[in-house]
Amino acid sequence: MSSLQRTAPIFLTLAALVLAAAAPATAAAAADTGPLDSQGPAHEHYASHPLRVKPTVTNTSPTGLSPSTIKSVYSFPTSSTAGAGTTIAIVDAYNDPSIESDLNAFSTQFGLPSCTTANGCFTKVNQTGGTNYPRTDAGWALEIALDVEWAHAVAPGAKILLVEAKSSSFTNLMAAEDYASAHAQYVSNSWGGSEFSGESTYDSHFTRSGVSFFASAGDNGSPATYPSASPNVVSVGGTTLNLNSSGALTSETGWSSSGGGCSAYESANPAQSSFSQYAQLNCAGKRGTPDVSLDADPASGVSVYDSTAYNGKSGWFTVGGTSASSPMWAARSADAGTVVDSSYIYGSSLSYRDITSGNNGSPCLVGADLVTGRGSWVG
């Protein structure tokens, strides 16, 4: 027998021991990657924020729509205590280091109640509830400013909880979602990504008794995005507000970039599938998005104050996107003080402005459609 033949069993035994020792670590690594999908167990999914920014930025005064204009257009409550007794959670990625001072500047400009850490109105945490914040990202910081400021604008009496995920990965965002829903009654998500075959395994993160979940439908028309396509969230699409020279509403139309479409993987929940107008979506039993809508076109964008430089600019921005409509829907729901879920959306408790003009690749229709859903909340 050669020396190689004599030593071969030893090498094989050592190799088997190494592989056996590595197996638990390999399994553990796979377990940390999130749901399996067609791209394999190690594939992570990432979200982006559906944000549209007009190029004009000023340091002196707002250029976009004001809270009073939005409240007038939609007949929203105007009380400074609207939303009192509730908490609205904003889930976003990365850190906005200037958000509390920017929120104060926004509130002062528009005569809103102060919302600070000191008075108990504002809280900022990381995805596990701590104060070791993630790194700063300018794009997400502007997103955070939009979400926080407009949640406060529409529900000035509500507390605001900002939960910052470590990154834009779905794994980290879902950890932030879990913390948010454990500490708030209304959770707004102005982020999303392409649908994927394993997405339904994330749906459980959007289910908690007594909590309402909202998600931006996206800013690129069809197809549907996730988590907007989850049957457990209220998917919020976008409209264009057409105002006259006095700032009064002349019409509201479907925004040409409003996200929407039939989900490739998720089934419609019973509240949607049994709704009398569901058939005209032509989703054949699949989840149709969005459910509802609100102003999102940057042409009728809202005013946002952000001192964290974005593309080299800071100050007053005019911002649109379904990033704006989602936190406003969450805040209006906080004003109502009730659980706003699919059953509520497809019931008879809400007053809608049906948006019948506009197109995002699909047309606006009389009744439900894949541009604005049932329409915008009025009253």
Side-chain angles (χ1 to χ4, degrees), residues 82-299:
T86 68
T87 298
I88 303 166
I90 303 297
V91 175
D92 278 312
Y94 300 107
N95 181 39
D96 180 353
S98 62
I99 182 55
E100 185 169 3
S101 61
D102 291 350
L103 175 58
N104 182 62
F106 181 86
S107 299
T108 299
Q109 174 68 40
F110 293 115
L112 298 167
S114 174
C115 187
T116 65
T117 302
N119 68 16
C121 173
F122 178 74
T123 302
K124 184 174 87 167
V125 297
N126 63 23
Q127 66 189 43
T128 58
T131 55
N132 183 19
Y133 303 120
R135 69 173 177 85
T136 298
D137 179 278
W140 282 94
L142 182 56
E143 176 65 62
I144 289 169
L146 167 64
D147 295 350
V148 168
E149 290 169 13
W150 278 87
H152 181 54
V154 175
K159 294 181 178 181
I160 304 294
L161 169 64
L162 170 62
V163 186
E164 296 181 332
K166 183 179 180 180
S167 76
S168 60
S169 75
F170 272 44
T171 297
N172 287 323
L173 284 163
M174 295 305 168
E177 192 76 15
D178 292 344
Y179 185 88
S181 66
H183 296 84
Q185 296 84 41
Y186 303 90
V187 183
S188 178
N189 301 280
S190 290
W191 49 269
S194 299
E195 284 200 280
F196 51 95
S197 60
E199 68 188 35
S200 63
T201 56
Y202 282 121
D203 287 344
S204 61
H205 295 278
F206 304 100
T207 303
R208 192 182 292 269
S209 178
V211 179
S212 307
F213 296 86
F214 303 84
S216 298
D219 290 359
N220 294 294
S222 62
T225 60
Y226 191 85
S228 168
S230 171
N232 298 338
V233 307
V234 175
S235 172
V236 187
T239 67
T240 301
L241 295 178
N242 303 294
L243 309 174
N244 63 22
S245 58
S246 301
L249 181 70
T250 58
S251 66
E252 185 173 15
T253 55
W255 180 37
S256 60
S257 293
S258 174
C262 303
S263 172
Y265 303 104
E266 303 268 15
S267 298
N269 61 33
Q272 184 182 56
S273 62
S274 63
F275 181 58
S276 61
Q277 297 163 5
Y278 171 74
Q280 71 187 39
L281 301 181
N282 293 317
C283 286
K286 295 294 187 181
R287 168 84 162 107
T289 66
D291 297 300
V292 295
S293 60
L294 218 64
D295 179 37
D297 188 340

Side-chain angles (χ1 to χ4, degrees), residues 33 145 221 247 270 283 286 303 315 334 341:
T33 60
C283 286
K286 295 294 187 181
S303 297
D341 55 12

Side-chain angles (χ1 to χ4, degrees), residues 20 38 40 65 120 135 165 268 277 279 328 333:
S38 60
L65 299 184
R135 69 173 177 85
Q277 297 163 5
M328 287 195 281
S333 299

